[in-house]
Amino acid sequence: MKRTVVFILLVLSGSCLSAQTLFTYGKYKVDKAEFLRAFYKNNTGDKSGQAMHKYLDLFIAFKLKVQAAKDRKMDTLPGQKNDLLNFRRQIETDYLTSDSIVHALVKEAFNRSRKDIHIAHIFIPFDERYVKDPSVTPGNAVDTLAAWQNIQKAYEALKNGADFGLTAEKYSLDPSVENNKGDIGFITVFSLPYPLESVAYTLQTGTFSMPCKSRAGYHIIKKIAERPAFGRMRAAQILLAYTPAASNEERQKQKKLADSLYNALKQGGDFEALARQFSSERNASTTGGLMPDFGVGRYDPVFENAVLSLKNDGDISVPFETAYGIHLVKRIKHLPVSSDSSQAEALLKTAVSQDSRIDIAGEQFTAQMLQHTGYQKKYSDALLWAVTDSFLARGNFIPSKGIDAQAILFSFDKENTTVNDWLTYIQAEKNKYSGTSTLPYPAIMKTFVSLQAKDYYRAHLEDYNADFRNQLTEFSEGNQLFEIMEQEVWSKAAEDKKGLQQYYEKHKEKYTWGPSVNAIFFTTDDRKTAEDISRDIENYIKKWRTLAESSAGRIIADSARFELGQVPGAGEDIRPGQITTLVTDPSNGSTNFMYVLNVYHEPAQRSFDEARGLVINDYQAVLEEKWIKVLKKKYRVKVNEKILQTIAH
């Protein structure tokens, strides 16, 4: 009984799958999903059943032509292969990140951007040199134990009820702690390194965090308050800077100058002009003191508080002092946080992609790649690190028990990575770790695995991503269609002079002129040139060929016959000597117009030369129709009417 049920389920499953085939041509088949994908992509208007039936005929013809190209192995032509490779390289980057992960980070950033967080912190660096030079990166030789012990002491004191400010003064090595007792003011999204930002935004008001780690050291963060996000400020400033170790006399002199400038501004003085003349900022002479738009957490809290307290656009602060000098700031415009999530997220996506948090997206995507590609580790850490040490010390690899150069370290679905691959990589990487006693093999291997996985995933993207596979297929088939149409239709029609002449003679009545004009058609690269020519047309009309030839492509002119429907602004009263309406293309600024030479009100027969372009188009259609009939005999087409009825009704 059980075997019978399984057999019936398999039969039904097979029936459902085969029932999805919309049509076959020869031994090939197309399922309804492929057809619908093409239909909705190429039909932005009418989606009716009638439109779908009409498109099916076109799609069948398309598949027949492409199959004819494949049978001739046109996809193996060097030009076809190069075009496909170049297209692949253009689009594959879009598939090497996870949109869902990035979207989640953008959404998180938007939610955080809606409020500002007032925080204080205690900071103990791994390397004390960091507080004077933030470019210092702790090496492997730095002993982090002392930093850990001190942050634990601070944490224990806080848990026992110690005042945060006093604790910060005692333990924190942040240079500003002497002045602010650890209070760094309000911050918003992107103000702090992402891990610390995440800690700050998850704290309850009035609470402090456990010790948390950044690349520079250990931190304890306290959330003091929160408020609706201020947004960004556009402002200009006059900075009267202090020199290093400025004397009291110098400070008083700058303060006196600041008071004089403030009084001048209150009397209507030009802020921009005074900034150009007096401000110490490097670019003040060109910017007039205008600063880049900024939000909270960007500058010294004293500066931010003074600027953000300006209530109205145009307000100017009283002179105030920071460690950098005396400031006078003019509020230009307040830019509130957008409440439109779609608009804000579009802007935030760029910020996320340029922030360290994008590394998280990369790590999560690497984990997904390892899962998709069938990654399997096949090596022993201890054994591999030992042979790597030996290789780096000796400069060559000596096989040992259980491992040789071709031993598999890890594998993907269709490829293996060997010990030799790893040794080649570590040989190139070792110089990055000069000065360290031991190489961090696990961290280096993590990067190596990630790079290998990404390379493998990139090379086999079509195996793992249907959208990517479909794009490649569509591009390849489109290219092959062009190639075979050129051979079977377009070139044949253009080169068959006898056939074209015969077709023209047989269908001569199709090729007539309606009411028309003989005119000189001008196209210029800008409207002013067109206006100049049209205004002085009598001087140009007799030498229009010379005008075009001497313009280095800026002016194109030609003489031809046009039906009235092709003439801009033409009416029944069109006359010789008339200049038609100037028409400008907004996409590139080019402008065209016509100068009418003759007008023909009565219909007339087109000569073969005059009708040649139309004849070629019609003759191509005839050749294509005959060719499709041949293809339908070669690849017998059968449409599953039942499936068609379910989608085209």
Side-chain angles (χ1 to χ4, degrees):
M1 177 65 182
K2 184 176 181 181
R3 291 180 60 188
T4 303
V5 171
V6 172
F7 174 75
I8 291 173
L9 289 173
L10 289 172
V11 170
L12 290 174
S13 174
S15 299
C16 291
L17 291 173
S18 63
Q20 302 306 304
T21 299
L22 180 60
F23 67 88
T24 58
Y25 54 107
K27 62 181 180 180
Y28 309 102
K29 63 183 181 180
V30 173
D31 61 37
K32 74 173 186 179
E34 180 183 355
F35 169 74
L36 289 174
R37 185 169 59 249
F39 174 75
Y40 287 116
K41 182 175 181 179
N42 295 296
N43 287 267
T44 56
D46 187 3
K47 303 292 194 303
S48 66
Q50 183 179 1
M52 196 170 284
H53 277 90
K54 185 177 180 180
Y55 185 77
L56 179 60
D57 293 336
L58 296 174
F59 192 66
I60 289 172
F62 165 75
K63 298 299 285 187
L64 295 177
K65 295 171 195 174
V66 170
Q67 191 57 52
K70 290 179 179 178
D71 288 349
R72 295 188 195 180
K73 300 192 181 303
M74 287 184 172
D75 57 334
T76 65
L77 295 174
Q80 292 277 330
K81 293 170 73 173
N82 286 336
D83 286 347
L84 184 61
L85 179 60
N86 289 335
F87 178 72
R88 181 191 184 99
R89 287 172 175 167
Q90 289 174 24
I91 68 170
E92 64 186 9
T93 303
D94 294 336
Y95 293 90
L96 295 176
T97 57
S98 172
D99 287 343
S100 61
I101 297 172
V102 173
H103 177 73
L105 289 171
V106 171
K107 186 175 181 180
E108 176 188 71
F110 171 72
N111 290 334
R112 290 180 179 179
S113 74
R114 304 289 295 159
K115 62 182 179 181
D116 299 334
I117 304 294
H118 185 183
I119 64 170
H121 88 146
I122 296 169
F123 171 50
I124 300 178
F126 299 133
D127 189 329
E128 292 189 11
R129 293 175 300 168
Y130 179 86
V131 298
K132 294 183 178 179
D133 182 5
S135 66
V136 171
T137 301
N140 291 334
V142 172
D143 184 3
T144 62
L145 179 60
W148 172 250
Q149 290 174 338
N150 284 332
I151 201 71
Q152 287 297 323
K153 290 177 182 177
Y155 184 56
E156 288 300 321
L158 292 173
K159 287 198 297 182
N160 290 327
D163 178 77
F164 194 93
L166 295 176
T167 306
E169 281 188 299
K170 182 176 181 180
Y171 291 101
S172 183
L173 296 183
D174 186 330
S176 65
V177 73
E178 294 179 4
N179 299 319
N180 62 20
K181 296 186 178 181
D183 187 340
I184 58 178
F186 280 93
I187 59 101
T188 187
V189 65
F190 303 116
S191 297
L192 299 177
Y194 181 63
L196 301 183
E197 174 195 301
S198 293
V199 171
Y201 271 89
T202 53
L203 285 173
Q204 296 294 319
T205 299
T207 65
F208 54 85
S209 71
M210 295 176 59
C212 48
K213 186 178 180 181
S214 72
R215 71 175 186 86
Y218 294 109
H219 307 255
I220 298 174
I221 296 175
K222 180 179 180 180
K223 180 179 176 182
I224 298 172
E226 68 175 53
R227 68 183 182 197
F230 176 83
R232 300 178 70 77
M233 179 70 85
R234 183 170 299 160
Q237 78 159 328
I238 299 172
L239 170 63
L240 305 178
Y242 295 146
T243 59
S247 65
N248 185 58
E249 182 181 355
E250 179 189 345
R251 291 173 182 269
Q252 292 303 317
K253 181 179 178 181
Q254 293 291 58
K255 289 180 180 179
K256 186 175 181 180
L257 175 58
D259 289 338
S260 297
L261 293 176
Y262 182 63
N263 289 329
L265 291 169
K266 286 197 298 182
Q267 299 300 317
D270 187 321
F271 192 98
E272 184 176 326
L274 292 175
R276 292 181 191 277
Q277 182 177 355
F278 292 101
S279 183
S280 304
E281 282 191 298
R282 183 169 49 186
N283 298 320
S285 61
T286 56
T287 64
L290 183 66
M291 305 172 66
D293 297 347
F294 63 91
V296 299
R298 173 72 180 275
Y299 295 121
D300 183 295
V302 175
F303 180 90
E304 284 186 5
N305 291 336
V307 177
L308 270 55
S309 65
L310 297 173
K311 299 299 183 183
N312 303 301
D313 295 347
D315 285 355
I316 298 173
S317 70
V318 297
F320 63 92
E321 184 179 13
T322 70
Y324 302 99
I326 308 294
H327 306 256
L328 292 93
V329 182
K330 178 180 179 180
R331 168 171 159 162
I332 306 297
K333 187 176 182 180
H334 175 223
L335 306 168
V337 173
S338 175
S339 59
D340 183 339
S341 61
S342 60
Q343 181 186 40
E345 288 184 23
L347 296 173
L348 287 168
K349 187 171 184 179
T350 300
V352 165
S353 68
Q354 296 172 348
D355 186 66
S356 63
R357 69 192 68 202
I358 199 65
D359 295 338
I360 293 175
E363 291 175 2
Q364 292 184 19
F365 186 65
T366 296
Q368 292 179 359
M369 284 193 298
L370 294 177
Q371 182 178 2
H372 291 326
T373 57
Y375 167 79
Q376 290 187 353
K377 177 182 174 181
K378 299 179 182 291
Y379 66 92
S380 160
D381 288 351
L383 184 57
L384 182 62
W385 305 155
V387 298
T388 304
D389 282 339
S390 174
F391 168 76
L392 293 177
R394 295 170 177 268
N396 66 297
F397 176 73
I398 299 178
S400 62
K401 185 178 180 181
I403 191 166
D404 59 43
Q406 298 307 314
I408 298 173
L409 289 184
F410 50 85
S411 65
F412 301 109
D413 289 334
K414 299 176 183 178
E415 287 182 15
N416 297 321
T417 297
T418 65
V419 169
N420 191 56
D421 296 325
W422 159 252
L423 296 179
T424 301
Y425 178 77
I426 197 69
Q427 179 70 36
E429 290 292 299
K430 67 176 184 179
N431 291 333
K432 295 181 181 179
Y433 299 90
S434 59
T436 58
S437 56
T438 58
L439 296 182
Y441 288 144
I444 299 173
M445 176 59 78
K446 182 179 179 181
T447 301
F448 179 61
V449 170
S450 176
L451 291 172
Q452 293 289 102
K454 189 171 185 178
D455 287 345
Y456 179 84
Y457 187 77
R458 182 194 298 267
H460 298 83
L461 255 173
E462 56 268 49
D463 295 340
Y464 304 110
N465 193 296
D467 288 342
F468 180 80
R469 181 170 62 250
N470 291 336
Q471 281 205 63
L472 284 188
T473 299
E474 289 169 10
F475 181 86
S476 177
E477 290 186 345
N479 257 15
Q480 292 177 71
L481 175 67
F482 185 92
E483 190 81 37
I484 200 162
M485 285 290 288
E486 179 65 31
Q487 291 186 16
E488 289 294 328
V489 178
W490 300 331
S491 293
K492 281 185 177 181
E495 294 168 2
D496 187 0
K497 296 180 181 179
K498 183 178 179 181
L500 288 171
Q501 188 70 49
Q502 289 176 345
Y503 188 86
Y504 169 76
E505 295 295 339
K506 187 175 181 180
H507 303 86
K508 207 170 185 178
E509 71 282 355
K510 292 173 57 177
Y511 307 111
T512 58
W513 287 107
S516 56
V517 301
N518 191 5
I520 299 172
F521 185 86
F522 291 91
T523 299
T524 65
D525 64 355
D526 65 88
R527 189 174 182 88
K528 185 178 183 305
T529 302
E531 290 172 348
D532 291 344
I533 295 172
S534 64
R535 186 167 49 247
D536 202 13
I537 194 68
E538 294 302 328
N539 289 332
Y540 289 116
I541 204 62
K542 295 179 181 179
K543 52 182 180 181
W544 60 268
R545 286 189 177 87
T546 304
L547 174 69
E549 291 169 358
S550 63
S551 69
R554 293 184 59 247
I555 302 169
I556 299 171
D558 200 4
S559 175
R561 189 166 177 174
F562 304 90
E563 293 200 335
L564 288 187
Q566 299 173 287
V567 180
E572 295 180 359
D573 59 345
I574 193 166
R575 63 193 182 282
Q578 182 173 335
I579 298 173
T580 65
T581 304
L582 274 64
V583 178
T584 299
D585 184 344
S587 66
N588 58 22
S590 65
T591 301
N592 61 70
F593 67 93
M594 294 181 186
Y595 177 82
V596 179
L597 298 172
N598 297 301
V599 179
Y600 308 98
H601 294 288
E602 299 299 325
Q605 179 67 50
R606 290 178 188 250
S607 68
F608 175 73
D609 287 337
E610 290 174 329
R612 183 178 178 82
L614 298 173
V615 174
I616 289 176
N617 284 339
D618 292 342
Y619 192 51
Q620 286 175 349
V622 171
L623 293 182
E624 184 176 359
E625 186 177 353
K626 290 180 179 178
W627 180 42
I628 290 174
K629 287 181 180 179
V630 172
L631 293 177
K632 285 184 175 180
K633 288 181 180 179
K634 182 178 180 180
Y635 312 104
R636 294 291 181 180
V637 177
K638 294 182 180 179
V639 177
N640 188 326
E641 294 294 340
K642 289 184 179 180
I643 294 296
L644 181 60
Q645 289 304 315
T646 64
I647 61 176
H649 54 273

